[in-house]
Amino acid sequence: MRRKLLSVLTALALAAGGVVAVPAKPASAAIDWATIAAVYGYVQKAYGYWKALQGFLNSGGSSGLSLEQATHMIISEIQASRNEIVTHMTSIATADVRACTIHHVIEFADIERFNNQILQQWAQDATSCVTRISTVYTSLPANSYAAWNDLGAALGVVGPIALIARTRAGFGTDGLTDLLVQAFQRVAATFPVNCAVTPDGYNYPDEQWPSYPIYIFTSYQCYSAGAHQIPGAGASSGGGAWWQQHVYLDQNCRCASSHPDYTNIGGQNLIAATEARTARGIALDALEKLRRP
């Protein structure tokens, strides 16, 4: 009876020119770190190939990668990580963004088979996908960290595809490059990293230690903004260090003194490790390779 009633209501809605509501996309299962690492690895290499192509074009072909070489390299990276990329992109909640991202990842492997008309249309579609991702990013409500993270990753995935496609189609890339730089600056600013140190057995409000050298055990923790929505968006370690008078950590969780043997937290860069756990890592890497000298 319930099924029959649903069918009647559906028919009535369609007959009246109405729209039948469909169930929302179910929440995606948590993406494992191997998948995230594969996506980040692809992004880092893809923008690196784009930068090498720019070096080739700017040097008159004396250094870097040719367009064909850069295309083949990115295709190879996509083929190596396609399953992980597609899996990660399925977490995007906005249907058309999810669709255009996956669509261009899958079809990029055949770009050399496109005739000129198809290539130009496809390049414009890829550009539209990038602009759509950027627009959706800025339209989300406050504290949408999980969605921002997914969209930041999508920008990383589709960006180099669109840049290569436009170059092959004979289109300019300056406007798209500028858009990507602006978008990645926004992503990087969304996920700042905050750090803290907990010295075992000491609790000085002014973070100043005794005037004599003393060996204390410490616990270092760095978290990205939105860590409550993005599981694992932080890194931590424990260790020890020699502290002297007025030695303390600055806002970047690095030693603010000139201590020669203490250049970052616990002997490792937890800030970089934390950045790699959100789209901030993708954004910073892409910005380094997209900015023109």
Side-chain angles (χ1 to χ4, degrees):
M1 181 67 182
R2 182 179 180 183
R3 182 179 299 175
K4 182 177 180 180
L5 178 60
L6 178 59
S7 299
V8 171
L9 291 174
T10 300
L12 289 173
L14 291 174
V19 177
V20 180
V22 296
K25 177 180 178 285
S28 301
I31 306 296
D32 61 72
W33 282 114
T35 296
I36 294 174
V39 174
Y40 282 28
Y42 154 77
V43 171
Q44 291 176 328
K45 291 179 181 178
Y47 281 99
Y49 300 144
W50 169 253
K51 184 175 182 179
L53 170 59
Q54 296 309 295
F56 179 89
L57 297 175
N58 294 333
S59 67
S62 63
S63 63
L65 295 175
S66 68
L67 179 56
E68 290 72 21
Q69 289 173 324
T71 302
H72 291 162
M73 298 290 274
I74 294 177
I75 288 174
S76 177
E77 294 300 331
I78 289 177
Q79 290 176 336
S81 307
R82 184 170 57 195
N83 290 341
E84 290 84 356
I85 293 171
V86 171
T87 296
H88 197 40
M89 294 303 98
T90 57
S91 63
I92 298 173
T94 308
D96 59 340
V97 170
R98 185 170 67 249
C100 79
T101 303
I102 296 174
H103 166 79
H104 286 91
V105 166
I106 292 173
E107 285 204 336
F108 187 69
D110 295 318
I111 192 170
E112 293 181 321
R113 296 184 174 91
F114 298 164
N115 62 37
N116 193 56
Q117 181 179 358
I118 293 175
L119 177 59
Q120 289 183 347
Q121 181 61 56
W122 199 82
Q124 290 177 322
D125 289 345
T127 305
S128 177
C129 188
V130 172
T131 59
R132 175 62 176 155
I133 295 169
S134 177
T135 300
V136 171
Y137 195 102
T138 59
S139 68
L140 292 176
N143 300 318
S144 299
Y145 289 102
W148 283 328
N149 193 56
D150 290 336
L151 292 172
L155 277 172
V157 168
V158 182
I161 292 175
L163 288 166
I164 290 291
R166 291 188 65 85
T167 304
R168 294 187 70 95
F171 297 154
T173 58
D174 287 353
L176 178 58
T177 300
D178 291 342
L179 174 65
L180 284 167
V181 167
Q182 293 171 9
F184 281 126
Q185 288 174 333
R186 190 178 300 116
V187 173
T190 300
F191 298 97
V193 175
N194 297 301
C195 302
V197 60
T198 305
D200 292 346
Y202 292 88
N203 185 22
Y204 291 90
D206 59 358
E207 295 183 316
Q208 294 178 359
W209 311 110
S211 59
Y212 54 88
I214 183 171
Y215 189 73
I216 59 173
F217 288 98
T218 53
S219 176
Y220 311 100
Q221 296 180 324
C222 291
Y223 291 98
S224 175
H228 60 288
Q229 291 186 26
I230 307 171
S236 62
S237 72
W242 285 97
W243 297 88
Q244 294 181 355
Q245 186 176 13
H246 301 303
V247 174
Y248 61 96
L249 294 180
D250 63 16
Q251 67 273 18
N252 291 319
C253 218
R254 291 188 175 92
C255 183
S257 77
S258 57
H259 193 290
D261 299 322
Y262 201 74
T263 56
N264 54 44
I265 0 182
Q268 60 180 307
N269 194 336
L270 290 185
I271 293 177
T274 306
E275 289 171 342
R277 293 171 180 262
T278 68
R280 178 179 171 87
I282 287 178
L284 293 176
D285 186 80
L287 284 170
E288 177 187 349
K289 294 162 182 171
L290 284 170
R291 288 187 174 121
R292 291 183 285 272

